[in-house]
Amino acid sequence: MEMHQVRYFLAVAQLLNFTRAAEECNVTQPSLTRAIKQLEAELGGDLFRRERPAAQLTELGQRMHPLLKQCYEAAAGARSLASSFKSGEVGALRVALTHAIDLSLLIPHLNQIRRQFNRLEFRFLRGSSREVADYLKKGEAELGIAAEIDGTWERLDVWPLFTENFDLVIGKDHRLASQSTIEFDDLRAEQMLSRNYCEHAGRISSSLREHGIDVDHGHEISSERDLIELVEADIGIAMVPHSSPVPGSLKRAAVSGLDARRTVSLYGVAGRQRTAVANTVMRMLRGADWRTIAG
């Protein structure tokens, strides 16, 4: 069926008069009548009872009305959105992030780019490093941000943004809270929280294990929010990236001698055309001064 046929049908259904509907649609009545007859032929039945002076919807017409109205509105919305994108009034940004990357890293840049578009639509995808790579491969995301990603796909472009250390996070009332530097001996009696969703979780656990810290009987968590609540409740302590925000109820401390760092990078797909929004964000992130965030 053609959209003009649907438009004519909706006009007649609203006005219940073929002549007035033709005037409303700015076409001749024979053209409108012919289009509706073609639509009826395609749907296999009459949509109107042609009574004088008013037309009435048949049972088929009544059942088809909400469906055709939805179809027409969706098509009109799609045309409007496409026109807005083409004119630059609307932009879209699709970014994939691993679970261990905090969205606060992007907020200043997102606020900046919002001022360049009348309307900007964001889509954020979360996943493991392998899932982020899949989002990029399938075109579901234009940009990816991760500390480590599956690099087996040769079309992945990578731009390192910053390298940061991991801090120990404890409650302000914790027995170690008064110490600015923590020794490994101080951690042997502590219950560790394992951030298994972090790309470097295994590496950090191995480093702690080498220094006699029991990480194999710690608490396993699956989100930063759970980590914060457990540390606040003094149920455990955790190693978190320096860029991860923590509330004022917690304290950061360095663990002396712990070699734990990660490099956060921006990823894209080589040779694939990106939207103007994605290109702008890419330039912003690559040109940003990350020294304050990375510590």
Side-chain angles (χ1 to χ4, degrees), residues 80-293:
S80 175
L81 182 60
S83 176
S84 297
F85 269 102
K86 187 175 181 180
S87 65
E89 294 178 2
V90 174
L93 178 65
R94 294 170 288 123
V95 181
L97 307 94
T98 54
H99 296 296
I101 299 295
D102 197 273
L103 191 60
S104 62
L105 294 175
L106 294 181
I107 297 301
H109 308 286
L110 298 180
N111 281 331
Q112 184 177 348
I113 198 172
R114 282 173 56 202
R115 294 191 287 269
Q116 300 182 27
F117 291 85
N118 293 332
R119 181 174 154 206
L120 186 58
E121 299 173 355
F122 297 127
R123 184 186 182 197
F124 300 109
L125 303 170
R126 287 285 188 178
S128 64
S129 59
R130 184 174 296 275
E131 288 171 329
V132 168
D134 286 339
Y135 289 139
L136 291 169
K137 289 179 184 179
K138 296 175 182 177
E140 296 178 26
E142 291 186 278
L143 300 175
I145 301 178
E148 188 174 292
I149 206 171
D150 181 3
T152 59
W153 193 36
E154 65 279 2
R155 289 189 60 192
L156 278 180
D157 278 335
V158 55
W159 300 279
L161 300 178
F162 60 89
T163 299
E164 63 179 342
N165 290 316
F166 278 74
D167 303 322
L168 180 71
V169 174
I170 54 180
K172 282 196 169 181
D173 296 328
H174 193 275
R175 66 180 184 88
L176 301 176
S178 61
Q179 300 179 211
S180 58
T181 302
I182 309 296
E183 304 294 334
F184 287 112
D185 288 342
D186 298 324
L187 301 179
R188 292 196 172 97
E190 296 296 327
Q191 193 85 13
M192 301 297 297
L193 301 175
S194 299
R195 301 167 69 250
N196 292 335
Y197 50 88
C198 177
E199 302 96 304
H200 288 68
R203 200 172 306 167
I204 293 173
S205 294
S206 296
S207 182
L208 292 172
R209 195 179 293 112
E210 289 175 0
H211 291 85
I213 310 301
D214 184 9
V215 295
D216 298 317
H217 297 88
H219 303 303
E220 294 186 5
I221 57 174
S222 58
S223 74
E224 295 287 89
R225 180 174 180 179
D226 292 344
L227 180 145
I228 296 300
E229 292 185 356
L230 290 171
V231 175
E232 285 180 331
D234 202 24
I235 293 177
I237 60 178
M239 300 297 302
V240 302
H242 189 79
S243 62
S244 294
V246 297
S249 58
L250 303 182
K251 179 185 176 181
R252 296 179 183 272
V255 177
S256 179
L258 179 64
D259 183 16
R261 293 185 300 171
R262 73 171 186 173
T263 298
V264 175
S265 299
L266 174 67
Y267 293 85
V269 179
R272 182 177 293 171
Q273 186 175 1
R274 284 181 286 268
T275 62
V277 181
N279 278 326
T280 304
V281 170
M282 183 181 70
R283 289 193 295 269
M284 284 181 177
L285 296 180
R286 294 179 63 188
D289 183 357
W290 297 99
R291 288 175 296 182
T292 302
I293 293 178

Side-chain angles (χ1 to χ4, degrees), residues 12-19 36 47-58:
V12 177
Q14 178 183 7
L15 300 172
L16 298 178
N17 185 285
F18 278 72
T19 301
I36 289 181
L47 297 171
F48 297 100
R49 291 192 298 272
R50 289 154 172 82
E51 301 175 353
R52 293 184 181 276
Q56 301 294 332
L57 283 168
T58 63

